[in-house]
Amino acid sequence: MIQNGLEYLNSRLIFGMMPGLASTRKLCEALGNPQKKFKTIHVVGTNGKGSTSYYLSGVLQAHGLKTGLYTSPHLVSMRERIRVNDLPIDDESLDRLIMQVKSAAEKTQVEPTFFEVLTIVAFLYYAEQNIDVAVLEAGMGGRLDSTAVADGDLIVLTSIGLEHTEVLGSTESAILKEKMGVAGSAQSIISNGRSKTFVLGGLSEALIAEAKIFASSHSCSCVIPEIRNDIELPNLGQHYVENASLSLKAAELFLQKSRNISVADAVVNKGIVYDDALALKTLATCSWAGRMQKLIDANGVTKFILDGAHNSHAVRRLVETLGKYYPNQKFHCVFGALRDKDVGEMLKLMAPHVSHWHITRTPYPRFRELIDLQGELEKLGLNVASAGEFSREYLNEVCASVTDGSPVLITGSLYMIGATVQALKDDFDGLAFFRGMEPTTNEHR
C-alpha cells in the first residue's frame, strides 16, 4: 500500500473499537452515500462469518453477478478484505480511497475508527466498480457495526456465542438481539417499514424460537436451511458444510428476492435463476484460506494443514475434523498462540491428535513467549519436540523431522496462519491469491 493511506489508517488504531453508526453515517453522507449504489447481503454471527461470506460471494459470482466481498481480519494484506469477483482491491485504489475518507473526516470533524475507515473505503470501491451485490461480513455485533449502514434486505446469521459481552450483552439471548439489530434502535439492521429475511444457522432451538419472535415483531421472516449432505468443499470439516449450506440458501433467496418474482417467472423472463448444480460445482473449488486448508504440492501430496483455530471452541471443531478425516493418526504440530487465549485447554483438546509439538511465535507482540508455551505443555505432561521463532527455515526443520510422510498441522492463531501463508504463498497453488501482496498490520478487526 502507498504510505500515506497506511499511515492514516494506522493512526486510527488509537480509537479501538467504538460501536455505533453515527460516524459512519455522517461520513457516508459526506461522500454521497456510496453504500446505496449496490445491493447488499449482511453476514452476522459469532463464528463462521468469513467462510459463509466467501462461499456466498463465490456462488453469486458464478451466477454472473459482479460481486463484492468485505471480510475481516486479513491474513497477509489489508487488500484481502475488499474484493470484487475475488480479486483484491489494488494498492493505488486502497490508498486513494483511504485518503478520500480522511478528507471527508477532516471536513466533517469526525474521528473514524480503523474498521470504519475500511468499511467506507469498501463502499466507495464497490460503487466505483459498479458491482451488483456486496456480501458484507460484520466486524462485531450487528446493530451497531459500521457495515449495518448498508442496510440490505437479506441477513445471514451464522451462530451465536458469548463474545464481546461488555458491548453485546452477557447472555446469548442479548447477543442474538444485537446480531439481529433489534435491541431498540430505529437505525438497525432491521429497518421499520421494510420486510427483511433472516437465514439462520448454528442456533439452538431456544434461540431459533427467539429469533422468530424478534423477526415477526418487525414484519420480517426467518428461514432455517437444512444442512446439505451433497456439498463438497476444499475446506475440511462439518462446520464448513454447515456454513456452505447457509450460503446456498442465501444465494437462492437473493436471486429470487432481488427481483421479487418466482422462480418460474424468472425462467420465463430469462432472468438469472439460482442453479443448484452450478452452486455445488462452485463450492467444490472455493477454499477459504487458512481454515482447515490442505496445502498440496505439485505431486498431489498434502504437505500442510492450516487452521486458524484460536480458542477452545474452534479447537473443538478442529479435533472433530481431524478425527473424521484422519482417524487414529497423529501429527507433528506447529503451535503458537496469543497471550489472552486459554492455551492449556487448547493443548489438552489437541493432545490426542499430536505426536510431536513444535512451538513457535511470530514477532507480533501479543504472542506468548516460547518458555510460556513450554510450561503449559509440561503441565499436561507433554514434551516439546522443537522450539523456535517462526520462519520458513523453521518450517523446513519441522518438515525434515517428519518421517512418516504425514502433513504438518499448523494452528493456534490466525496471526500465525497469516505468517505461514506469507512464507509459503509462492510454493503452493492453493495460496496463489496472496502472491504480490505486501504484509500490512492486522491489529484490529
Side-chain angles (χ1 to χ4, degrees), residues 187-415:
Q187 296 178 335
S188 61
I189 290 179
I190 297 180
S191 298
N192 293 331
R194 286 173 54 195
S195 176
K196 299 197 174 192
T197 301
F198 285 88
V199 183
L200 306 179
L203 302 183
S204 66
E205 291 298 323
L207 286 178
I208 287 175
E210 284 196 49
K212 288 180 177 178
I213 293 172
F214 297 155
S216 178
S217 67
H218 290 77
S219 301
C220 299
S221 60
C222 291
V223 176
I224 300 93
E226 292 185 6
I227 305 304
R228 304 274 296 258
N229 60 12
D230 56 349
I231 296 174
E232 294 184 6
L233 296 166
N235 300 106
L236 303 177
Q238 179 63 22
H239 47 308
Y240 291 109
V241 173
E242 294 167 5
N243 297 341
S245 298
L246 289 178
S247 297
L248 292 178
K249 177 54 68 172
E252 180 182 6
L253 290 172
F254 177 79
L255 290 172
Q256 291 178 236
K257 188 179 180 71
S258 63
R259 290 157 182 78
N260 197 30
I261 53 178
S262 68
V263 171
D265 289 337
V267 171
V268 171
N269 295 330
K270 298 182 179 180
I272 298 176
V273 179
Y274 173 73
D275 184 334
D276 196 58
L278 173 63
L280 290 173
K281 182 179 179 181
T282 300
L283 289 177
T285 67
C286 285
S287 179
W288 184 226
R291 286 81 165 183
M292 285 311 301
Q293 181 186 18
K294 296 188 295 183
L295 295 185
I296 301 171
D297 67 14
N299 298 317
V301 177
T302 301
K303 303 295 288 186
F304 297 94
I305 298 173
L306 310 185
D307 191 55
H310 60 281
N311 55 39
S312 298
H313 179 272
V315 169
R316 287 188 182 91
R317 302 309 295 259
L318 165 62
V319 299
E320 287 172 8
T321 303
L322 293 177
K324 177 180 179 180
Y325 291 92
Y326 297 94
N328 304 316
Q329 183 170 343
K330 293 191 174 185
F331 298 86
H332 284 252
C333 177
V334 176
F335 183 87
L338 301 186
R339 294 173 185 163
D340 61 349
K341 303 303 179 182
D342 186 359
V343 170
E345 180 67 12
M346 294 166 70
L347 296 174
K348 182 179 179 181
L349 289 167
M350 292 175 59
H353 301 273
V354 176
S355 60
H356 296 76
W357 293 95
H358 304 273
I359 56 175
T360 190
R361 70 182 308 281
T362 76
Y364 182 57
R366 287 172 57 200
F367 258 90
R368 278 184 180 255
E369 297 298 333
L370 298 180
I371 190 67
D372 293 337
L373 284 179
Q374 182 172 342
E376 293 288 349
L377 284 162
E378 290 175 351
K379 288 178 186 177
L380 297 170
L382 302 172
N383 295 321
V384 176
S386 72
E389 295 291 317
F390 185 87
S391 66
R392 179 58 192 272
E393 291 71 27
Y394 182 66
L395 287 182
N396 290 342
E397 291 175 12
V398 172
C399 290
S401 69
V402 179
T403 58
D404 62 358
S406 62
V408 172
L409 174 65
I410 305 179
T411 190
S413 167
L414 269 177
Y415 292 90

Side-chain angles (χ1 to χ4, degrees), residues 13-24:
L13 292 173
I14 62 173
F15 295 99
M17 293 184 289
M18 298 172 58
L21 305 182
S23 293
T24 306

